[in-house]
Amino acid sequence: GELLEILGSIINGFAIPLKKEHLQFLVRALIPLHKPKCVGLYHQQLSYCIIQYVEKDADTATPILSGFFKCWPWSCSAKQILFLNELEEILELLGADQLAQVSNTLFVNLARCLNSDHFQVVERTLFLWNNEHLVNSGCLSRLNAQTVLPIIYGPLYKNSSGHWNATVEGLAQNVMKMYMEYDLALYDRCQAAHFKLEEETELKIEAVSKRWLEIEAMAQQQRTSCPVSA
């Protein structure tokens, strides 16, 4: 942690454009520091170093986010919340060019966070839509609704319709309402696609269940027709 604090000050003094070795240090040393189990001990200082890079050169956000999601701690809710805090800071500095390169990965991972079994991860993810910069002119704005809503609609709908945590349910309903006001036609398409997918999934489950019952019946019939001799 102390070493990263010193590094943060050094990175702050880097000249622009960034040198090749400085970019290599980011990719080979700093981004992989998100992987260790003990990342919580130094995450604040690491996050500061990462943000310094993005502030210096917005293009660094692309390799940062690509590596960031590869290190995402899906099995640890406490670390996911730390990562979401860092992600929000990065997204605030993300330009349109950088977003175009990482949008699918970004929104798919946000959808996974919204689908988390841990309510605090879902809640922290939904708080991203409370960030005025992200909603007014950033990656969650009206301009990007066509990309983001089809990806997040499923988990968003699930959280907005009967989540056991009232805060999560309320936040999800607010986000749903926001996208409905942005583009009602898009919202209706996403809703129809979601219900169609749910129906198809249900039919597949029923078909598999029916097939297993048929197999069990065949096995039972075979045992009856071929008794084991004593």
Side-chain angles (χ1 to χ4, degrees), residues 65-79:
L65 288 175
S66 297
F68 194 55
F69 289 122
K70 287 176 185 175
C71 303
W72 198 270
W74 295 109
S75 60
C76 180
S77 57
K79 286 181 186 174

Side-chain angles (χ1 to χ4, degrees), residues 10-221:
I10 295 171
I11 295 165
N12 191 36
F14 283 172
I16 301 171
L18 293 172
K19 293 181 180 179
K20 184 180 177 182
E21 54 266 34
H22 294 158
L23 294 171
Q24 287 176 339
F25 178 73
L26 168 67
V27 173
R28 295 178 183 176
L30 285 182
I31 296 173
L33 280 176
H34 288 88
K35 288 181 182 178
K37 292 181 180 179
C38 59
V39 64
L41 298 175
Y42 56 81
H43 182 263
Q44 186 178 348
Q45 295 87 346
L46 175 60
S47 178
Y48 176 74
C49 291
I50 294 292
I51 298 305
Q52 288 296 307
Y53 265 99
V54 185
E55 286 181 343
K56 289 279 179 185
D57 182 356
D59 285 338
T60 59
T62 304
I64 286 171
L65 288 175
S66 297
F68 194 55
F69 289 122
K70 287 176 185 175
C71 303
W72 198 270
W74 295 109
S75 60
C76 180
S77 57
K79 286 181 186 174
Q80 285 190 73
I81 291 167
L82 285 179
F83 277 44
L84 283 163
N85 291 338
E86 183 178 353
L87 177 64
E88 182 169 10
E89 290 191 70
I90 296 170
L91 294 181
E92 286 178 350
L93 301 169
L94 200 66
D97 292 340
Q98 295 79 37
L99 177 61
Q101 297 177 58
V102 298
S103 61
N104 191 64
T105 304
L106 169 63
F107 297 138
V108 166
N109 280 280
L110 285 182
R112 284 188 69 182
C113 290
L114 288 171
N115 207 30
S116 173
D117 291 331
H118 200 289
F119 82 96
Q120 287 180 322
V121 174
V122 180
E123 181 182 56
R124 182 61 188 88
T125 308
L126 288 167
F127 274 135
L128 292 174
W129 278 268
N130 283 359
N131 185 311
E132 288 188 9
H133 172 73
L134 296 184
V135 169
N136 293 334
S137 57
C139 62
L140 304 178
S141 68
R142 183 193 299 264
L143 289 172
N144 298 304
Q146 294 274 352
T147 306
V148 63
L149 188 58
I151 297 174
I152 67 166
Y153 184 89
L156 197 58
Y157 174 79
K158 184 184 77 172
N159 291 322
S160 71
S161 54
H163 194 282
W164 67 267
N165 183 277
T167 304
V168 167
E169 185 179 31
L171 287 167
Q173 287 171 353
N174 289 340
V175 176
M176 295 279 278
K177 184 181 177 184
M178 184 186 81
Y179 282 110
M180 196 185 297
E181 291 171 353
Y182 276 173
D183 190 335
L184 184 57
L186 170 66
Y187 181 89
D188 288 342
R189 287 198 303 274
C190 291
Q191 186 179 57
H194 173 70
F195 288 140
K196 183 182 177 183
L197 181 62
E198 277 199 332
E199 188 180 342
E200 289 173 354
T201 304
E202 217 170 285
L203 289 172
K204 283 180 184 176
I205 292 170
E206 286 177 8
V208 170
S209 179
K210 183 181 177 183
R211 182 59 182 153
W212 275 114
L213 288 172
E214 289 172 356
I215 292 169
E216 286 175 11
M218 287 167 64
Q220 182 65 36
Q221 188 178 8

